[in-house]
Amino acid sequence: MKTAEIAQRYLDYFEKNDHTIVPSASLVSDDPSILFTIAGMVPFIPYLTGVVPAPYPRAADLQKCIRTNDIEEVGKTARHGTFFQMLGNWSFGDYFKEGAISYAWELLTSSESDGGLGFAERDLWVTVYEDDDEAAALWQRIAGLPAERIQRMGRADNFWTTGQPGPAGPCSEIYFDRGPAYGADGGPAVDDNRFLEIWNLVFMQNSIDNVRSKTEFDIVGELPNKNIDTGMGLERVAFLKQGVENMYETDQVRPVLDRASELSGRRYGADHEDDVRFRIIADHVRSSLMLLSDGVTPSNEGRGYILRRLMRRSVRAMRLLGVEEATFPALFAASRDAMKESYPVVETDWERLSAYAFAEEETFLRTLSAGSTILDTAVEKTKASGGATLAGDEAFLLHDTYGFPIDLTLEIAQEAGLGVDRAAFDALMQEQRQRAKADARSRKRAIADVSVYREFRALGETTFTGYTDLETETRVLGVLVDGQATGRAAEGQIAEVILAETALYAESGGQVADRGTIVGPGYELEVLDVQRPVAGLVSHTVEVTRGEVGVDQPATTIVDAANRRAAQQAHSATHLVHAALRDTLGKGATQAGSLNRAGYLRFDFTWGQALSPATRSEIEEIANNAVRDNLEVTTRVLSLEEAKSAGAVALFGEKYGDTVRMVDIGGPWSRELCGGTHVARSAEVGLISLVGESSVGASNRRVEALVGLDAFRELAAERALVAELTSALKTPKEQLPARIAELTASLKAAEKKIAAFEARALAERVPALAQAAERIGAVNLVAQSIGSVGSADDLRSLAASVRERLGAEPAVVVLTGESGDRVLAIVATNEAARAEGAKAGTLVKTVLERLGGRGGGRDDMAQGAGTDAASVPAALDAVRAALRSA
């Protein structure tokens, strides 16, 4: 049964059962906290949590997903794949456990001729949550499963949560028995390789709070509307129905693997290492194709970096199979043909998708050719010298100069039995980022001799077209790397590019440089900075994100329009705030510096004292009144003397030539010399919100403001916060300060009472802990984990009390407790135990070695903390062993 047919049978079945069939959401997640759609439930989270009312009572879908956390495991197991498809059926306050179980069982076990999936009932097992008697009973009644094929599991396996307070619930998982050739009998609890999970039914019925870990939380009630969330792994069902060993051998993946086998001349199944490489190629090519189809393109950041890494791992795997020429035309075409039945877009948009894929491979093959030789030499040199670690500067040289990815350096070094000094590499990368992407002034390259620019400046001034155009066609005049004219720069390199014309604004007058790109035939450059290293010449600091750029190539500068528009708003707002300051404080408030970028402005001025709240409000109101009045913004180019005669205010730190550009907002009210970009009328600035006023040195003050949508969002957030507080505290907003002060006082009093209560509760545990003492040699030992504890002081007090309770006989008390994400440990000994050689300072180190922490203390009392809570039993056993051998 083909994969597409399995999916269609699923959707047809649920459509017959009154489910709305929902199209797959994009692989690019709407959730800003994650790059991709990583699970079938992601698009439905707003409905499951009740944040958004569900538009249908029941639904079913086939959702595309991408996970790359275990990318290194791809190809090594039957389970790990980056792209996968999840079938799901959903109920939002409609049917519940009985319906979900009935639907799943009927679809799985109905014959293929009746539209089902045709699984034999004897091969299916289920697990339920340990306390879910209802689900266990339903499985027996609906499916007729014997009790021994219904296994109960704990929270770690069969209870679903988001990891946050809110909706949660028990799960029931359906497993397929692959037979004795795959492992031991006894169900999923015994061997989850033989017994393969194919479908998970989540019964979202509970509300949880006080979430401490995946398994530690409080179930505080039941949800008023119970939901069903299920997920059936399409690839897993496919390889079971197709009678193959793993997902890589299914009909949607195997064609790529077979094509790679043909190209390499090596047979799949003949060699384990080659098989892993074949599976990597098959998985990564398909994943790359699907990411491209959802609009992701290769780059060095975010989603684009993940795509680039998948594609480059594929190229690398083909090279390890002996193929050094381009293979993507064949491999991607094979994946297209395998996937087009389910996703027609991979065929209809083939021209675009293949162009990106083929160009990426071509570029990377050039990178590999140069980088591999250098890396192989470095590896041989390291091994010859007896070293076990490749130097970090070698790895950085490969990355920075040749664009060789650190991921491949790590893999190749590992294959050669070497590590890589990743700390040194990361430190060098951080230095580079600081040079390339920090504040504009700090990221300018320090070049003492500007003569390198002479030949380019001799060609004439760089023409700035950005006042009227956001795109400009031009040509490359020069390329510099590390301050030297090289004539070209390759992918991954940071370079300076000199152009004849540019629409990209170079930082000046307080306005930061434009964001944008420079593109040309076969290359793309990300603009990191734009500066004027010498008068009349513009230099673009770029990262080559694709291809190779060289002198005399055509180029098009493309300004990030949204960022430019927001920067213009901020720059014009700076002029308005300056004029408002002068209106309010007088002409003595002269400019001492400014910075404006998208959504934000900072303005420094000479003034000897802090501004009162009333003065700040007045300045803000004057500036916003100017916005309301929709004043015309005009620019004129005239002589410096004419501009000064007209009353223009010169900007701090700027040098002016014989002719200047004068910007008026509302005529003479705001008249400044300025080379920056501006809005056409003041109303385009939008809202101006002063958010800060501070000292920046003797007789200098600074105001900061948010502008436009950023200002609106900030005020809207404050309004929402006030509304939330007034609602929660049932207090008018005018009375909020007094009410919050009252609550703060009450909270402090309550915290004291709680601390006293916890101390009493701990004290009440002393008799039971002392009663649990065990005899080890000559010593009475209390070694216990007491669970959650407020602080180390509480644990230490408890240990001292238990030690005293044990009397004069040799006694050792070892207690652990969890506080936040730390595991606290205390060891206390009495005088008689110390006489027997049991010393607290030594024993606490024994404990903390197992807990992944450090500590120490005196012979009678010692303490410390670790992070590995799972190792507490082993740590306590280590103390017992130490006392036995004493």
Side-chain angles (χ1 to χ4, degrees):
M1 189 181 295
K2 292 176 66 177
T3 302
E5 182 185 349
I6 295 169
Q8 196 57 52
R9 282 173 179 253
Y10 185 98
L11 297 176
D12 288 347
Y13 172 82
F14 281 102
E15 187 172 31
K16 280 193 310 183
N17 286 282
D18 303 320
H19 289 65
T20 299
I21 304 303
V22 179
S24 174
S26 171
L27 286 169
V28 177
S29 174
D30 290 333
D31 185 341
S33 66
I34 53 177
L35 291 176
F36 299 115
T37 300
I38 58 174
M41 70 163 298
V42 169
F44 295 95
I45 287 175
Y47 309 145
L48 295 170
T49 57
V51 174
V52 177
Y56 23 66
R58 49 176 74 182
D61 74 327
L62 172 61
Q63 177 60 49
K64 300 176 290 185
C65 304
I66 284 277
R67 286 185 194 165
T68 57
N69 290 344
D70 297 325
I71 192 170
E72 287 81 9
E73 298 303 312
V74 169
K76 299 177 182 178
T77 73
R79 305 182 185 189
H80 288 92
T82 51
F83 174 83
F84 62 97
Q85 301 160 88
M86 190 63 70
L87 290 156
N89 59 286
W90 315 83
S91 167
F92 308 104
D94 190 9
Y95 62 83
F96 198 49
K97 291 183 186 179
E98 183 170 2
I101 290 171
S102 297
Y103 289 139
W105 189 254
E106 181 178 31
L107 177 58
L108 285 173
T109 60
S110 292
S111 68
E112 293 183 13
S113 60
D114 290 332
L117 296 177
F119 283 98
E121 295 183 9
R122 66 177 180 276
D123 293 330
L124 300 177
W125 291 60
V126 299
T127 61
V128 298
Y129 179 54
E130 56 192 357
D131 295 336
D132 196 350
D133 297 334
E134 179 187 8
L138 285 169
W139 278 114
Q140 286 185 296
R141 177 167 65 80
I142 294 168
L145 284 173
E148 61 270 18
R149 297 220 323 260
I150 304 171
Q151 296 187 324
R152 294 179 183 254
M153 311 281 269
R155 286 185 175 183
D157 298 294
N158 277 67
F159 200 94
W160 176 87
T161 79
T162 63
Q164 301 292 329
C171 307
S172 183
E173 297 175 337
I174 305 172
Y175 288 77
F176 177 82
D177 181 0
R178 303 176 72 193
Y182 294 92
D185 199 358
V190 173
D191 189 332
D192 64 355
N193 183 51
R194 169 175 171 173
F195 297 88
L196 189 72
E197 179 200 338
I198 57 175
W199 203 340
N200 184 17
L201 315 179
V202 176
F203 309 130
M204 206 172 297
Q205 67 187 55
N206 301 117
S207 180
I208 64 170
D209 202 352
N210 192 22
V211 179
R212 303 175 293 283
S213 70
K214 180 181 178 181
T215 58
E216 295 182 326
F217 48 82
D218 298 334
I219 299 175
V220 294
E222 293 207 345
L223 298 173
N225 292 315
K226 297 178 173 61
N227 299 324
I228 288 294
D229 156 14
T230 85
M232 185 168 84
L234 179 56
E235 279 76 14
R236 290 191 180 187
V237 173
F239 83 69
L240 292 174
K241 292 300 296 179
Q242 292 171 20
V244 295
E245 288 297 306
N246 52 58
M247 61 168 285
Y248 309 103
E249 299 175 16
T250 61
D251 63 301
Q252 286 190 344
V253 188
R254 180 68 187 246
V256 181
L257 189 154
D258 289 339
R259 196 74 182 92
S261 176
E262 292 173 16
L263 293 170
S264 66
R266 302 192 189 186
R267 184 173 62 84
Y268 179 64
D271 178 85
H272 173 71
E273 288 189 0
D274 280 354
D275 287 354
V276 171
R277 292 163 186 154
F278 281 128
R279 292 194 287 262
I280 287 171
I281 294 161
D283 172 86
H284 287 7
V285 165
R286 181 172 78 143
S287 299
S288 299
L289 178 67
M290 298 309 299
L291 284 169
L292 286 165
S293 74
D294 271 354
V296 182
T297 56
S299 71
N300 287 338
E301 291 184 352
R303 300 179 181 93
Y305 173 74
I306 298 296
L307 172 58
R308 172 162 285 170
R309 187 179 180 199
L310 291 170
M311 297 170 82
R312 292 186 167 190
R313 279 173 57 88
S314 303
V315 174
R316 164 76 177 150
M318 285 302 299
R319 284 176 69 89
L320 291 173
L321 290 170
V323 183
E324 297 193 0
E325 61 270 17
T327 60
F328 277 10
L331 297 176
F332 272 78
S335 187
R336 173 201 63 199
D337 294 342
M339 298 300 293
K340 66 185 181 182
E341 183 178 355
S342 295
Y343 304 98
V345 66
V346 300
E347 183 173 44
T348 59
D349 204 15
W350 173 247
E351 186 175 351
R352 180 185 69 84
L353 308 183
S354 59
Y356 277 113
F358 301 167
E360 180 68 18
E361 181 182 34
E362 182 181 346
T363 299
F364 188 52
L365 284 173
R366 289 199 300 268
T367 296
L368 278 176
S369 179
S372 293
T373 301
I374 295 169
L375 179 56
D376 291 343
T377 301
V379 166
E380 289 175 10
K381 182 178 178 182
T382 302
K383 295 177 76 172
S385 66
T389 303
L390 190 71
D393 57 355
E394 295 270 15
F396 180 75
L397 174 69
L398 284 163
H399 172 86
D400 189 46
T401 305
Y402 300 96
F404 205 80
I406 183 61
D407 308 297
L408 281 184
T409 300
L410 291 168
E411 287 185 17
I412 293 171
Q414 185 179 26
E415 290 167 3
L418 298 177
V420 175
D421 188 346
R422 187 62 189 265
F425 172 85
D426 290 341
L428 290 167
M429 281 295 296
Q430 183 61 30
E431 290 177 16
Q432 183 198 66
R433 291 190 190 102
Q434 289 171 350
R435 289 195 303 269
K437 293 188 175 180
D439 183 73
R441 291 198 183 277
S442 66
R443 70 185 176 218
K444 285 188 291 187
R445 295 179 180 240
I447 301 175
D449 183 4
V450 296
S451 61
V452 69
Y453 299 107
R454 185 181 298 124
E455 63 175 292
F456 308 120
R457 183 63 183 85
L459 299 173
E461 292 191 4
T462 307
T463 302
F464 176 62
T465 64
Y467 290 131
T468 55
D469 300 319
L470 296 182
E471 289 190 20
T472 292
E473 293 184 1
T474 184
R475 65 188 180 92
V476 179
L477 299 180
V479 178
L480 299 89
V481 176
D482 293 329
Q484 302 297 317
T486 60
R488 59 186 53 254
E491 183 169 329
Q493 286 188 288
I494 304 295
E496 288 182 79
V497 173
I498 312 297
L499 305 172
E501 298 90 11
T502 184
L504 292 153
Y505 183 79
E507 178 193 6
S508 62
Q511 182 174 335
V512 300
D514 273 335
R515 297 177 186 170
T517 55
I518 302 172
V519 299
Y523 71 85
E524 183 170 344
L525 316 176
E526 179 190 358
V527 177
L528 306 177
D529 192 16
V530 190
Q531 296 290 333
R532 296 181 183 272
V534 294
L537 189 73
V538 174
S539 170
H540 307 79
T541 300
V542 302
E543 180 176 3
V544 185
T545 56
R546 180 172 66 84
E548 185 176 87
V549 61
V551 172
D552 287 329
Q553 285 185 307
T556 301
T557 60
I558 304 171
V559 177
D560 181 328
N563 183 72
R564 163 71 77 80
R565 184 167 52 251
Q568 289 180 167
Q569 289 176 302
H571 199 160
S572 296
T574 303
H575 285 218
L576 297 180
V577 169
H578 187 191
L581 275 163
R582 290 165 65 86
D583 270 6
T584 306
L585 304 177
K587 293 184 179 181
T590 56
Q591 180 176 347
S594 69
L595 172 70
N596 42 81
R597 60 172 183 262
Y600 171 84
L601 72 85
R602 185 183 76 206
F603 190 88
D604 297 345
F605 59 101
T606 55
W607 198 250
Q609 60 190 36
L611 303 183
S612 68
T615 301
R616 285 179 53 180
S617 295
E618 184 180 358
I619 294 165
E620 191 175 57
E621 184 173 352
I622 291 171
N624 280 292
N625 282 342
V627 172
R628 177 203 61 194
D629 293 339
N630 198 22
L631 304 174
E632 185 179 13
V633 180
T634 61
T635 61
R636 287 180 285 166
V637 177
L638 61 170
S639 71
L640 180 58
E641 290 306 316
E642 287 175 315
K644 287 181 177 179
S645 297
V649 178
L651 295 180
F652 173 80
E654 286 284 52
K655 296 179 180 179
Y656 299 98
D658 293 334
T659 60
V660 293
R661 184 169 180 263
M662 187 171 73
V663 177
D664 288 0
I665 305 179
W669 180 69
S670 171
R671 178 168 286 168
E672 299 188 23
L673 301 185
C674 180
T677 62
H678 289 273
V679 299
R681 300 192 71 91
S682 62
E684 295 175 32
V685 168
L687 186 63
I688 301 173
S689 174
L690 293 186
V691 294
E693 191 269 336
S694 58
S695 170
V696 286
S699 300
N700 279 310
R701 306 296 299 178
R702 169 176 292 171
V703 292
E704 296 174 271
L706 297 177
V707 181
L709 280 176
D710 288 79
F712 170 79
R713 293 187 186 108
E714 188 256 356
L715 293 175
E718 289 187 359
R719 181 180 61 191
L721 178 61
V722 171
E724 186 177 345
L725 288 171
T726 57
S727 175
L729 301 179
K730 297 180 174 57
T731 303
K733 61 183 179 181
E734 309 82 50
Q735 299 176 20
L736 278 176
R739 178 63 174 146
I740 291 172
E742 177 187 336
L743 288 173
T744 301
S746 298
L747 179 60
K748 289 181 179 178
E751 286 173 344
K752 289 182 179 179
K753 290 182 180 179
I754 291 170
F757 172 82
E758 289 177 342
R760 288 196 301 272
L762 286 174
E764 291 171 0
R765 298 184 64 173
V766 170
L769 288 169
Q771 188 67 32
E774 52 190 297
R775 191 75 175 185
I776 296 182
V779 174
N780 289 319
L781 171 67
V782 173
Q784 297 284 328
S785 171
I786 69 164
S788 180
V789 65
S791 67
D793 288 343
D794 294 336
L795 194 63
R796 186 167 54 250
S797 176
L798 179 61
S801 297
V802 174
R803 177 180 62 185
E804 183 178 353
R805 181 90 175 192
L806 290 172
E809 288 190 9
V812 175
V813 179
V814 183
L815 299 180
T816 67
E818 294 179 22
S819 178
D821 58 355
R822 298 194 308 156
V823 183
L824 306 178
I826 299 289
V827 178
T829 62
N830 63 10
E831 186 176 351
R834 294 192 292 277
E836 295 290 338
K839 298 183 179 180
T842 302
L843 291 174
V844 81
K845 292 177 181 177
T846 300
V847 173
L848 292 169
E849 284 175 359
R850 274 72 176 177
L851 300 184
R854 299 174 62 184
R858 304 186 307 274
D859 290 348
D860 63 330
M861 181 78 76
Q863 67 184 59
T867 57
D868 188 1
S871 297
V872 166
L876 298 179
D877 284 340
V879 173
R880 295 183 179 96
L883 291 175
R884 289 191 188 99
S885 61

